[in-house]
mmCIF file of all heavy atoms in Angstrom:
data_model
loop_
_atom_site.group_PDB
_atom_site.id
_atom_site.type_symbol
_atom_site.label_atom_id
_atom_site.label_comp_id
_atom_site.label_asym_id
_atom_site.label_seq_id
_atom_site.Cartn_x
_atom_site.Cartn_y
_atom_site.Cartn_z
ATOM 1 N N ALA A 9 132.929 155.455 373.257
ATOM 2 C CA ALA A 9 133.189 156.889 373.105
ATOM 3 C C ALA A 9 133.381 157.221 371.633
ATOM 4 O O ALA A 9 133.756 156.360 370.833
ATOM 5 C CB ALA A 9 134.434 157.274 373.896
ATOM 6 N N GLN A 10 133.105 158.460 371.313
ATOM 7 C CA GLN A 10 133.344 158.900 369.936
ATOM 8 C C GLN A 10 133.837 160.340 369.936
ATOM 9 O O GLN A 10 133.539 161.113 370.840
ATOM 10 C CB GLN A 10 132.108 158.748 369.069
ATOM 11 C CG GLN A 10 130.947 159.633 369.413
ATOM 12 C CD GLN A 10 129.745 159.346 368.521
ATOM 13 O OE1 GLN A 10 129.651 158.292 367.906
ATOM 14 N NE2 GLN A 10 128.823 160.275 368.455
ATOM 15 N N SER A 11 134.604 160.656 368.885
ATOM 16 C CA SER A 11 135.170 161.994 368.761
ATOM 17 C C SER A 11 134.121 162.958 368.211
ATOM 18 O O SER A 11 133.070 162.545 367.720
ATOM 19 C CB SER A 11 136.371 161.967 367.807
ATOM 20 O OG SER A 11 135.933 161.730 366.484
ATOM 21 N N GLU A 12 134.446 164.229 368.273
ATOM 22 C CA GLU A 12 133.632 165.239 367.594
ATOM 23 C C GLU A 12 133.837 165.039 366.086
ATOM 24 O O GLU A 12 134.909 164.630 365.648
ATOM 25 C CB GLU A 12 134.082 166.644 367.992
ATOM 26 C CG GLU A 12 133.763 167.005 369.432
ATOM 27 C CD GLU A 12 132.264 167.013 369.692
ATOM 28 O OE1 GLU A 12 131.504 167.535 368.852
ATOM 29 O OE2 GLU A 12 131.852 166.470 370.738
ATOM 30 N N PRO A 13 132.818 165.318 365.280
ATOM 31 C CA PRO A 13 132.992 165.149 363.834
ATOM 32 C C PRO A 13 133.939 166.199 363.252
ATOM 33 O O PRO A 13 134.055 167.300 363.777
ATOM 34 C CB PRO A 13 131.581 165.320 363.277
ATOM 35 C CG PRO A 13 130.812 166.025 364.337
ATOM 36 C CD PRO A 13 131.471 165.736 365.645
ATOM 37 N N VAL A 14 134.609 165.806 362.196
ATOM 38 C CA VAL A 14 135.487 166.713 361.461
ATOM 39 C C VAL A 14 135.049 166.683 359.994
ATOM 40 O O VAL A 14 134.643 165.638 359.489
ATOM 41 C CB VAL A 14 136.979 166.319 361.620
ATOM 42 C CG1 VAL A 14 137.255 164.949 361.047
ATOM 43 C CG2 VAL A 14 137.888 167.345 360.991
ATOM 44 N N THR A 15 135.101 167.822 359.332
ATOM 45 C CA THR A 15 134.709 167.910 357.926
ATOM 46 C C THR A 15 135.951 167.810 357.048
ATOM 47 O O THR A 15 136.932 168.524 357.253
ATOM 48 C CB THR A 15 133.978 169.234 357.638
ATOM 49 O OG1 THR A 15 132.806 169.284 358.447
ATOM 50 C CG2 THR A 15 133.587 169.337 356.171
ATOM 51 N N VAL A 16 135.908 166.896 356.085
ATOM 52 C CA VAL A 16 136.994 166.710 355.118
ATOM 53 C C VAL A 16 136.469 167.141 353.754
ATOM 54 O O VAL A 16 135.399 166.681 353.322
ATOM 55 C CB VAL A 16 137.462 165.233 355.070
ATOM 56 C CG1 VAL A 16 138.476 165.029 353.964
ATOM 57 C CG2 VAL A 16 138.018 164.816 356.417
ATOM 58 N N THR A 17 137.195 168.031 353.105
ATOM 59 C CA THR A 17 136.822 168.491 351.759
ATOM 60 C C THR A 17 137.943 168.148 350.795
ATOM 61 O O THR A 17 139.081 168.556 350.995
ATOM 62 C CB THR A 17 136.574 170.015 351.745
ATOM 63 O OG1 THR A 17 135.578 170.325 352.721
ATOM 64 C CG2 THR A 17 136.108 170.476 350.369
ATOM 65 N N VAL A 18 137.614 167.364 349.770
ATOM 66 C CA VAL A 18 138.591 166.985 348.749
ATOM 67 C C VAL A 18 138.395 167.911 347.554
ATOM 68 O O VAL A 18 137.291 168.024 347.021
ATOM 69 C CB VAL A 18 138.412 165.513 348.308
ATOM 70 C CG1 VAL A 18 139.425 165.136 347.244
ATOM 71 C CG2 VAL A 18 138.516 164.584 349.516
ATOM 72 N N HIS A 19 139.463 168.596 347.165
ATOM 73 C CA HIS A 19 139.412 169.526 346.038
ATOM 74 C C HIS A 19 139.970 168.856 344.792
ATOM 75 O O HIS A 19 140.915 168.082 344.875
ATOM 76 C CB HIS A 19 140.236 170.788 346.338
ATOM 77 C CG HIS A 19 139.714 171.558 347.505
ATOM 78 N ND1 HIS A 19 138.633 172.399 347.402
ATOM 79 C CD2 HIS A 19 140.106 171.596 348.798
ATOM 80 C CE1 HIS A 19 138.384 172.937 348.589
ATOM 81 N NE2 HIS A 19 139.265 172.458 349.450
ATOM 82 N N GLY A 20 139.374 169.169 343.656
ATOM 83 C CA GLY A 20 139.869 168.647 342.381
ATOM 84 C C GLY A 20 141.175 169.302 341.975
ATOM 85 O O GLY A 20 141.454 170.441 342.339
ATOM 86 N N VAL A 21 141.979 168.570 341.218
ATOM 87 C CA VAL A 21 143.239 169.092 340.681
ATOM 88 C C VAL A 21 142.999 169.457 339.224
ATOM 89 O O VAL A 21 142.537 168.622 338.439
ATOM 90 C CB VAL A 21 144.359 168.031 340.786
ATOM 91 C CG1 VAL A 21 145.637 168.525 340.153
ATOM 92 C CG2 VAL A 21 144.582 167.639 342.232
ATOM 93 N N PRO A 22 143.275 170.713 338.823
ATOM 94 C CA PRO A 22 143.042 171.107 337.434
ATOM 95 C C PRO A 22 143.910 170.293 336.459
ATOM 96 O O PRO A 22 145.013 169.870 336.793
ATOM 97 C CB PRO A 22 143.452 172.587 337.399
ATOM 98 C CG PRO A 22 143.484 173.022 338.819
ATOM 99 C CD PRO A 22 143.772 171.803 339.637
ATOM 100 N N LEU A 23 143.386 170.101 335.263
ATOM 101 C CA LEU A 23 144.124 169.394 334.216
ATOM 102 C C LEU A 23 145.363 170.177 333.811
ATOM 103 O O LEU A 23 145.296 171.387 333.624
ATOM 104 C CB LEU A 23 143.241 169.222 332.975
ATOM 105 C CG LEU A 23 142.059 168.279 333.093
ATOM 106 C CD1 LEU A 23 141.169 168.403 331.870
ATOM 107 C CD2 LEU A 23 142.536 166.862 333.254
ATOM 108 N N SER A 24 146.468 169.477 333.666
ATOM 109 C CA SER A 24 147.687 170.105 333.143
ATOM 110 C C SER A 24 148.633 169.027 332.649
ATOM 111 O O SER A 24 148.521 167.857 333.009
ATOM 112 C CB SER A 24 148.388 170.951 334.219
ATOM 113 O OG SER A 24 148.880 170.139 335.258
ATOM 114 N N GLY A 25 149.562 169.444 331.809
ATOM 115 C CA GLY A 25 150.595 168.525 331.332
ATOM 116 C C GLY A 25 150.081 167.455 330.398
ATOM 117 O O GLY A 25 150.505 166.303 330.493
ATOM 118 N N VAL A 26 149.165 167.810 329.483
ATOM 119 C CA VAL A 26 148.667 166.837 328.510
ATOM 120 C C VAL A 26 149.717 166.690 327.401
ATOM 121 O O VAL A 26 150.156 167.672 326.818
ATOM 122 C CB VAL A 26 147.315 167.282 327.905
ATOM 123 C CG1 VAL A 26 146.821 166.267 326.885
ATOM 124 C CG2 VAL A 26 146.284 167.475 329.013
ATOM 125 N N SER A 27 150.135 165.463 327.152
ATOM 126 C CA SER A 27 151.168 165.218 326.140
ATOM 127 C C SER A 27 150.788 164.013 325.299
ATOM 128 O O SER A 27 149.956 163.208 325.690
ATOM 129 C CB SER A 27 152.529 164.992 326.804
ATOM 130 O OG SER A 27 152.477 163.864 327.655
ATOM 131 N N LEU A 28 151.401 163.924 324.133
ATOM 132 C CA LEU A 28 151.176 162.753 323.304
ATOM 133 C C LEU A 28 152.475 162.337 322.659
ATOM 134 O O LEU A 28 153.399 163.125 322.504
ATOM 135 C CB LEU A 28 150.064 162.986 322.281
ATOM 136 C CG LEU A 28 150.293 163.847 321.064
ATOM 137 C CD1 LEU A 28 150.791 163.002 319.901
ATOM 138 C CD2 LEU A 28 148.981 164.487 320.648
ATOM 139 N N TRP A 29 152.545 161.066 322.296
ATOM 140 C CA TRP A 29 153.695 160.531 321.587
ATOM 141 C C TRP A 29 153.214 159.492 320.598
ATOM 142 O O TRP A 29 152.083 159.029 320.668
ATOM 143 C CB TRP A 29 154.757 159.998 322.543
ATOM 144 C CG TRP A 29 154.357 158.803 323.342
ATOM 145 C CD1 TRP A 29 154.612 157.497 323.045
ATOM 146 C CD2 TRP A 29 153.630 158.779 324.570
ATOM 147 N NE1 TRP A 29 154.083 156.671 324.004
ATOM 148 C CE2 TRP A 29 153.473 157.431 324.949
ATOM 149 C CE3 TRP A 29 153.084 159.767 325.376
ATOM 150 C CZ2 TRP A 29 152.803 157.053 326.105
ATOM 151 C CZ3 TRP A 29 152.411 159.378 326.524
ATOM 152 C CH2 TRP A 29 152.291 158.051 326.880
ATOM 153 N N ALA A 30 154.101 159.157 319.680
ATOM 154 C CA ALA A 30 153.725 158.273 318.575
ATOM 155 C C ALA A 30 154.631 157.066 318.507
ATOM 156 O O ALA A 30 155.785 157.093 318.922
ATOM 157 C CB ALA A 30 153.801 159.038 317.258
ATOM 158 N N GLN A 31 154.067 156.000 317.956
ATOM 159 C CA GLN A 31 154.837 154.817 317.609
ATOM 160 C C GLN A 31 154.504 154.506 316.153
ATOM 161 O O GLN A 31 153.362 154.207 315.865
ATOM 162 C CB GLN A 31 154.463 153.643 318.510
ATOM 163 C CG GLN A 31 155.302 152.405 318.295
ATOM 164 C CD GLN A 31 156.783 152.650 318.545
ATOM 165 O OE1 GLN A 31 157.154 153.355 319.466
ATOM 166 N NE2 GLN A 31 157.618 152.101 317.698
ATOM 167 N N PRO A 32 155.405 154.655 315.203
ATOM 168 C CA PRO A 32 156.832 154.906 315.366
ATOM 169 C C PRO A 32 157.123 156.330 315.870
ATOM 170 O O PRO A 32 156.345 157.242 315.629
ATOM 171 C CB PRO A 32 157.403 154.706 313.961
ATOM 172 C CG PRO A 32 156.263 154.845 313.029
ATOM 173 C CD PRO A 32 155.033 154.505 313.788
ATOM 174 N N PRO A 33 158.270 156.473 316.566
ATOM 175 C CA PRO A 33 158.643 157.755 317.168
ATOM 176 C C PRO A 33 158.716 158.868 316.127
ATOM 177 O O PRO A 33 159.108 158.650 314.987
ATOM 178 C CB PRO A 33 160.030 157.482 317.769
ATOM 179 C CG PRO A 33 160.076 155.998 317.967
ATOM 180 C CD PRO A 33 159.249 155.419 316.856
ATOM 181 N N GLY A 34 158.326 160.055 316.555
ATOM 182 C CA GLY A 34 158.409 161.226 315.687
ATOM 183 C C GLY A 34 157.242 161.363 314.729
ATOM 184 O O GLY A 34 157.106 162.361 314.041
ATOM 185 N N GLY A 35 156.377 160.355 314.661
ATOM 186 C CA GLY A 35 155.205 160.447 313.813
ATOM 187 C C GLY A 35 155.475 160.269 312.332
ATOM 188 O O GLY A 35 154.639 160.613 311.510
ATOM 189 N N GLN A 36 156.626 159.713 311.976
ATOM 190 C CA GLN A 36 156.901 159.418 310.569
ATOM 191 C C GLN A 36 156.644 157.940 310.341
ATOM 192 O O GLN A 36 157.306 157.084 310.923
ATOM 193 C CB GLN A 36 158.346 159.775 310.204
ATOM 194 C CG GLN A 36 158.586 161.258 310.262
ATOM 195 C CD GLN A 36 159.862 161.663 309.573
ATOM 196 O OE1 GLN A 36 160.630 160.832 309.109
ATOM 197 N NE2 GLN A 36 160.092 162.956 309.504
ATOM 198 N N VAL A 37 155.671 157.650 309.479
ATOM 199 C CA VAL A 37 155.233 156.276 309.271
ATOM 200 C C VAL A 37 155.103 156.014 307.774
ATOM 201 O O VAL A 37 154.697 156.880 307.015
ATOM 202 C CB VAL A 37 153.901 156.018 310.023
ATOM 203 C CG1 VAL A 37 152.802 156.937 309.562
ATOM 204 C CG2 VAL A 37 153.475 154.578 309.927
ATOM 205 N N ALA A 38 155.493 154.820 307.351
ATOM 206 C CA ALA A 38 155.418 154.454 305.940
ATOM 207 C C ALA A 38 153.974 154.167 305.545
ATOM 208 O O ALA A 38 153.186 153.659 306.347
ATOM 209 C CB ALA A 38 156.295 153.230 305.667
ATOM 210 N N LEU A 39 153.646 154.501 304.330
ATOM 211 C CA LEU A 39 152.318 154.247 303.771
ATOM 212 C C LEU A 39 151.947 152.777 303.981
ATOM 213 O O LEU A 39 152.731 151.879 303.675
ATOM 214 C CB LEU A 39 152.320 154.597 302.275
ATOM 215 C CG LEU A 39 150.990 154.474 301.542
ATOM 216 C CD1 LEU A 39 149.997 155.496 302.076
ATOM 217 C CD2 LEU A 39 151.193 154.660 300.043
ATOM 218 N N GLY A 40 150.771 152.531 304.554
ATOM 219 C CA GLY A 40 150.296 151.167 304.795
ATOM 220 C C GLY A 40 150.709 150.585 306.133
ATOM 221 O O GLY A 40 150.214 149.536 306.528
ATOM 222 N N ASP A 41 151.639 151.245 306.839
ATOM 223 C CA ASP A 41 152.072 150.751 308.147
ATOM 224 C C ASP A 41 151.115 151.217 309.246
ATOM 225 O O ASP A 41 150.231 152.036 309.031
ATOM 226 C CB ASP A 41 153.495 151.212 308.463
ATOM 227 C CG ASP A 41 154.553 150.374 307.759
ATOM 228 O OD1 ASP A 41 154.184 149.411 307.060
ATOM 229 O OD2 ASP A 41 155.740 150.704 307.903
ATOM 230 N N ARG A 42 151.359 150.717 310.444
ATOM 231 C CA ARG A 42 150.533 151.005 311.610
ATOM 232 C C ARG A 42 151.081 152.221 312.358
ATOM 233 O O ARG A 42 152.289 152.360 312.541
ATOM 234 C CB ARG A 42 150.559 149.777 312.520
ATOM 235 C CG ARG A 42 149.809 149.908 313.800
ATOM 236 C CD ARG A 42 149.821 148.529 314.497
ATOM 237 N NE ARG A 42 149.446 148.656 315.873
ATOM 238 C CZ ARG A 42 150.250 148.429 316.900
ATOM 239 N NH1 ARG A 42 151.486 148.037 316.695
ATOM 240 N NH2 ARG A 42 149.821 148.568 318.133
ATOM 241 N N LEU A 43 150.166 153.086 312.828
ATOM 242 C CA LEU A 43 150.516 154.242 313.645
ATOM 243 C C LEU A 43 149.702 154.181 314.923
ATOM 244 O O LEU A 43 148.488 153.958 314.888
ATOM 245 C CB LEU A 43 150.198 155.552 312.906
ATOM 246 C CG LEU A 43 150.342 156.833 313.725
ATOM 247 C CD1 LEU A 43 151.813 157.121 314.046
ATOM 248 C CD2 LEU A 43 149.719 158.016 312.983
ATOM 249 N N VAL A 44 150.379 154.351 316.060
ATOM 250 C CA VAL A 44 149.692 154.398 317.356
ATOM 251 C C VAL A 44 150.071 155.699 318.042
ATOM 252 O O VAL A 44 151.254 155.992 318.219
ATOM 253 C CB VAL A 44 150.069 153.198 318.256
ATOM 254 C CG1 VAL A 44 149.367 153.310 319.615
ATOM 255 C CG2 VAL A 44 149.715 151.885 317.584
ATOM 256 N N LEU A 45 149.059 156.487 318.411
ATOM 257 C CA LEU A 45 149.262 157.718 319.170
ATOM 258 C C LEU A 45 148.753 157.478 320.589
ATOM 259 O O LEU A 45 147.690 156.878 320.775
ATOM 260 C CB LEU A 45 148.505 158.876 318.533
ATOM 261 C CG LEU A 45 148.872 159.215 317.094
ATOM 262 C CD1 LEU A 45 147.973 160.323 316.555
ATOM 263 C CD2 LEU A 45 150.328 159.615 316.991
ATOM 264 N N SER A 46 149.514 157.934 321.582
ATOM 265 C CA SER A 46 149.147 157.759 322.986
ATOM 266 C C SER A 46 149.111 159.110 323.676
ATOM 267 O O SER A 46 149.939 159.975 323.407
ATOM 268 C CB SER A 46 150.158 156.859 323.693
ATOM 269 O OG SER A 46 150.185 155.585 323.098
ATOM 270 N N CYS A 47 148.162 159.272 324.593
ATOM 271 C CA CYS A 47 147.967 160.530 325.311
ATOM 272 C C CYS A 47 148.182 160.287 326.806
ATOM 273 O O CYS A 47 147.831 159.233 327.327
ATOM 274 C CB CYS A 47 146.545 161.032 325.051
ATOM 275 S SG CYS A 47 146.221 162.708 325.631
ATOM 276 N N ALA A 48 148.761 161.281 327.478
ATOM 277 C CA ALA A 48 148.991 161.187 328.925
ATOM 278 C C ALA A 48 148.682 162.522 329.587
ATOM 279 O O ALA A 48 148.803 163.575 328.956
ATOM 280 C CB ALA A 48 150.431 160.780 329.208
ATOM 281 N N VAL A 49 148.299 162.471 330.861
ATOM 282 C CA VAL A 49 147.995 163.667 331.640
ATOM 283 C C VAL A 49 148.874 163.647 332.880
ATOM 284 O O VAL A 49 148.877 162.676 333.632
ATOM 285 C CB VAL A 49 146.503 163.691 332.054
ATOM 286 C CG1 VAL A 49 146.201 164.908 332.899
ATOM 287 C CG2 VAL A 49 145.609 163.640 330.837
#
């Protein structure tokens, strides 16, 4: 036996809450040192 078909629709979620942070914190870095920026959604 089988059921009647059902339609499933997956909707996209709009982009929101894009943020970034730095290492070292606050984005203050000494000349010649390493800076890493990271992004998140």
Side-chain angles (χ1 to χ4, degrees):
Q10 67 183 19
S11 69
E12 291 297 317
V14 63
T15 300
V16 174
T17 304
V18 180
H19 298 280
V21 176
L23 291 171
S24 66
V26 179
S27 61
L28 74 91
W29 66 96
Q31 185 60 39
Q36 293 195 356
V37 59
L39 184 66
D41 281 358
R42 178 174 164 246
L43 172 69
V44 178
L45 301 176
S46 299
C47 190
V49 178

